[in-house]
Amino acid sequence: QKEVEQNSGPLSVPEGAIASLNCTYSDRGSQSFFWYRQYSGKSPELIMFIYSNGDKEDGRFTAQLNKASQYVSLLIRDSQPSDSATYLCAVNRGYGGSQGNLIFGKGTKLSVKP
Amino acid sequence: KAGVTQTPRYLIKTRGQQVTLSCSPISGHRSVSWYQQTPGQGLQFLFEYFSETQRNKGNFPGRFSGRQFSNSRSEMNVSTLELGDSALYLCASSLAQGLHTEAFFGQGTRLTVV
């Protein structure tokens, strides 16, 4: 079982719709969770992070974490064509003295159609 | 505040050569991590440095090494280059304090081995 799994997509949504991106992780001891956006040919850009169970909202983005189900998701409301990118889920296990070790999923490619 | 700076942005090397990549973290960040990104494997953790010490290492051969200087700048070295080392090498910096492990990426160095 891969440590962090994401549906590779592509996920296609119409402009203005809600895009829902999902991620599961295998290590129950994982402590912090991140969503990065990566445009083609660019480096990953941090858009959300979450540590506690529940929802965290930032503008059009909502991250949801369910540690019991080992599941983290990202909702993008009012999707725009500029949101078209690959979204990477990353998990930090946060133990062993290492906090700079992120385990990434392969990413979900999102396409927002005008 | 300046972001993470990686140099050079592009490199072309021949098999068997060695290469050194450089990363300057965000001011105040003491943790620097290195990642390799390829289309097939995605983003994979190479190693993390914190206060000049390697704190964690991923599953890469010994040809991949790194170091960190007292000003937190880091270098990564790859010896005896192979064609499969062609990738985008990304550096990320983090405060790495408590749960605050948000990592911010540089623009990357695109390495091509011919």
Side-chain angles (χ1 to χ4, degrees):
Chain A
Q1 182 191 6
K2 295 195 178 96
E3 293 200 55
V4 179
E5 294 209 53
Q6 295 180 255
N7 188 324
S8 62
L11 173 65
S12 185
V13 300
E15 185 175 354
I18 295 176
S20 177
L21 303 159
N22 304 315
C23 172
T24 58
Y25 59 94
S26 61
D27 189 335
R28 199 169 276 282
S30 298
Q31 306 232 350
S32 46
F33 308 86
F34 306 87
W35 284 100
Y36 286 84
R37 176 176 62 198
Q38 188 173 26
Y39 292 111
S40 181
K42 302 292 186 184
S43 63
E45 172 194 8
L46 179 65
I47 52 173
M48 288 287 292
F49 59 90
I50 187 166
Y51 306 127
S52 306
N53 274 329
D55 294 1
K56 179 182 178 184
E57 189 174 315
D58 184 0
R60 295 187 296 112
F61 299 96
T62 299
Q64 300 174 314
L65 174 61
N66 184 326
K67 288 187 178 180
S69 301
Q70 294 174 243
Y71 176 91
V72 58
S73 65
L74 179 70
L75 300 177
I76 306 174
R77 289 182 299 282
D78 188 24
S79 295
Q80 301 297 308
S82 58
D83 294 326
S84 299
T86 296
Y87 288 80
L88 299 163
C89 172
V91 171
N92 190 314
R93 288 174 288 192
Y95 59 75
S98 171
Q99 294 172 309
N101 176 1
L102 293 175
I103 309 299
F104 282 85
K106 292 273 182 84
T108 298
K109 189 167 185 177
L110 173 66
S111 177
V112 182
K113 304 292 187 191
Chain B
K1 201 173 189 181
V4 180
T5 304
Q6 289 189 247
T7 56
R9 292 289 311 277
Y10 303 93
L11 266 178
I12 300 176
K13 290 286 188 179
T14 305
R15 268 184 304 176
Q17 286 187 311
Q18 75 163 15
V19 66
T20 299
L21 313 181
S22 179
C23 172
S24 293
I26 292 170
S27 178
H29 285 193
R30 294 163 66 192
S31 168
V32 174
S33 299
W34 288 89
Y35 295 82
Q36 181 195 66
Q37 187 173 34
T38 59
Q41 298 300 316
L43 262 165
Q44 292 186 285
F45 172 74
L46 280 155
F47 28 66
E48 181 206 3
Y49 285 86
F50 183 86
S51 293
E52 302 178 66
T53 300
Q54 188 181 88
R55 199 154 70 162
N56 202 359
K57 190 176 190 307
N59 233 7
F60 279 81
R63 299 184 297 107
F64 292 82
S65 63
R67 59 178 174 167
Q68 187 179 33
F69 302 95
S70 58
N71 62 357
S72 294
R73 191 178 71 84
S74 177
E75 287 182 348
M76 189 191 95
N77 185 275
V78 188
S79 62
T80 320
L81 283 165
E82 300 176 1
L83 294 178
D85 297 333
S86 295
L88 179 66
Y89 289 88
L90 291 158
C91 154
S93 81
S94 168
L95 268 173
Q97 289 179 351
L99 278 179
H100 296 283
T101 57
E102 304 96 88
F104 300 90
F105 284 89
Q107 291 304 304
T109 296
R110 172 78 59 187
L111 172 65
T112 302
V113 182
V114 297

